[in-house]
Amino acid sequence: MLQVAVKDPGREGRYYGERRAVKDMKTDEFVLEVEGLSLLSPEHNLILDNITFSLRAGEKMAVIGPNGSGKTSLLQALIREKRPDSGTILLRGQPLNTRSALDCAREIAFLSQSDIPDFRLSVEEYVSLGRLPYFGQYASSDGAHIVAQVIKDMGLTAYKHRLMGEVSGGQRQRAALGRALAQSPSILLLDEPTNHLDPPGRTALLSLVKSKNIAVIAVLHDLTAAEAFADRILVLNEGKQVSDDIPESSLQNQVIFPVFGMHSFRVAHPHEGKMLRVFEVPSGS
Ligand SMILES: Nc1ncnc2c1ncn2[C@@H]1O[C@H](COP(=O)(O)OP(=O)(O)OP(=O)(O)O)[C@@H](O)[C@H]1O
């Protein structure tokens, strides 16, 4: 199996240049700081082991790792669905567990893999649920404006009056992301946000999320998509943090092969000379 990502020539130096350019677009403020986070299962098995990273305002981070490596558990700890056994999580410099649930809902939106919407709601009503943390705080016309913009961004205008039970899996997934964006979060947590989407739909959705001035942590199985999307990639394996670095470093073969058992390398495009990243599962494995 091959996954190919198109990249310009220019090699390593370019990535450090990119990193600077990305940083310039962001503030230096950390919206999230995770330090020494460990999590045990109810049977006392280690699910996450000493995870440490920080996220700047507007920064995009992908989390990759094999099945069962702890990716979803990390997101669940960040929304307080799982309680860490050790370590700290700071949201804008304050311990996450000291912030009220409402306060957190105004800062962090989560798009889960297993979200089952109420199929009796229209797409528009479902997206509007994202405004709940602000109920009573703003004029409803402000909320309606935000919801209308999100529905437009998500390409859902033609379906907005359809029931959630009467749209396709991909449209439902876009509505779910719309609901999360309607929450106006400063941090967006996405757990496999593209698994129901066709290839152009995946690219479009991740490009849209990337264009938003929101810090994002996205769990992605598609390493090519992760490279195109992220400023940084956190690699997990068996609950341990293997890498937290720019995509070029996190996706190098030394990191990828021990974790996924597949090779990661670069080849030149046969016609255009661009560098392509290739992931190859060795035959027979
Ligand atoms: N509530 C729980 N009780 C017991 N074990 C759990 C629980 N939640 C997660 N685990 C275990 O923790 C490990 C990490 O699970 P998690 O869902 O975070 O992995 P993941 O990387 O998101 O996997 P996938 O790619 O398959 O979605 C797995 O071994 C899983 O079985």
Side-chain angles (χ1 to χ4, degrees):
M1 183 183 74
L2 293 178
Q3 290 183 17
V4 179
V6 177
K7 276 279 173 193
D8 294 323
R11 311 269 185 162
E12 279 68 21
R14 176 173 180 272
Y15 288 90
Y16 291 103
E18 261 183 5
R19 174 77 169 149
R20 266 197 302 279
V22 164
K23 189 168 175 291
D24 290 345
M25 282 162 45
K26 324 265 180 267
T27 73
D28 276 337
E29 180 198 1
F30 287 121
V31 286
L32 196 66
E33 292 162 85
V34 174
E35 175 80 38
L37 175 69
S38 294
L39 196 64
L40 296 170
S41 74
E43 299 82 27
H44 297 279
N45 295 318
L46 203 51
I47 295 179
L48 291 173
D49 185 4
N50 197 22
I51 306 296
T52 296
F53 66 88
S54 305
L55 192 69
R56 286 192 168 86
E59 196 168 24
K60 309 292 182 279
M61 187 170 94
V63 182
I64 63 171
N67 292 133
S69 55
K71 305 179 296 296
T72 298
S73 299
L74 174 62
L75 298 190
Q76 288 171 326
L78 299 178
I79 56 158
R80 305 197 303 193
E81 206 172 289
K82 281 188 173 155
R83 185 188 292 222
D85 289 275
S86 60
T88 54
I89 303 173
L90 302 183
L91 175 60
R92 293 190 186 280
Q94 289 178 357
L96 184 67
N97 58 7
T98 63
R99 309 280 295 255
S100 72
L102 191 61
D103 197 16
C104 289
R106 289 175 184 161
E107 293 270 12
I108 304 176
F110 177 46
L111 178 55
S112 152
Q113 254 188 76
S114 54
D115 193 25
I116 300 172
D118 185 334
F119 287 161
R120 296 165 301 180
L121 294 177
S122 71
V123 167
E124 187 175 42
E125 286 166 337
Y126 180 66
V127 172
S128 302
L129 292 179
R131 298 305 302 163
L132 273 180
Y134 303 95
F135 190 69
Q137 205 192 24
Y138 296 113
S140 58
S141 58
D142 293 343
H145 176 72
I146 289 168
V147 168
Q149 185 60 48
V150 163
I151 285 176
K152 190 166 165 240
D153 281 354
M154 291 287 114
L156 290 167
T157 307
Y159 312 101
K160 68 178 182 179
H161 298 307
R162 285 237 207 122
L163 298 185
M164 286 296 283
E166 295 172 350
V167 292
S168 73
Q171 290 157 352
R172 206 171 293 140
Q173 196 157 25
R174 277 188 277 145
L177 177 60
R179 189 200 45 150
L181 289 173
Q183 217 171 309
S184 304
S186 52
I187 304 171
L188 179 59
L189 307 179
L190 304 173
D191 198 355
E192 266 303 305
T194 61
N195 55 0
H196 286 290
L197 300 177
D198 55 31
R202 288 177 182 207
T203 306
L205 183 136
L206 289 175
S207 301
L208 179 90
V209 172
K210 194 175 166 81
S211 72
K212 302 278 174 198
N213 187 25
I214 302 172
V216 180
I217 302 179
V219 169
L220 295 170
H221 278 299
D222 181 337
L223 306 191
T224 304
E227 178 169 43
F229 171 75
D231 301 323
R232 271 175 38 219
I233 299 183
L234 180 75
V235 185
L236 296 180
N237 194 24
E238 297 179 350
K240 291 187 170 52
Q241 179 172 336
V242 175
S243 178
D244 169 20
D245 213 327
I246 56 170
E248 178 66 2
S249 299
S250 281
L251 294 178
Q252 62 185 308
N253 193 55
Q254 279 163 275
V255 177
I256 292 301
F257 189 74
V259 172
F260 291 97
M262 63 182 183
H263 297 293
S264 168
F265 54 95
R266 287 181 159 282
V267 294
H269 187 286
H271 307 303
E272 297 174 18
K274 292 174 183 169
M275 294 307 288
L276 311 173
R277 179 171 292 287
V278 174
F279 299 103
E280 183 199 27
V281 178
S283 54
S285 62

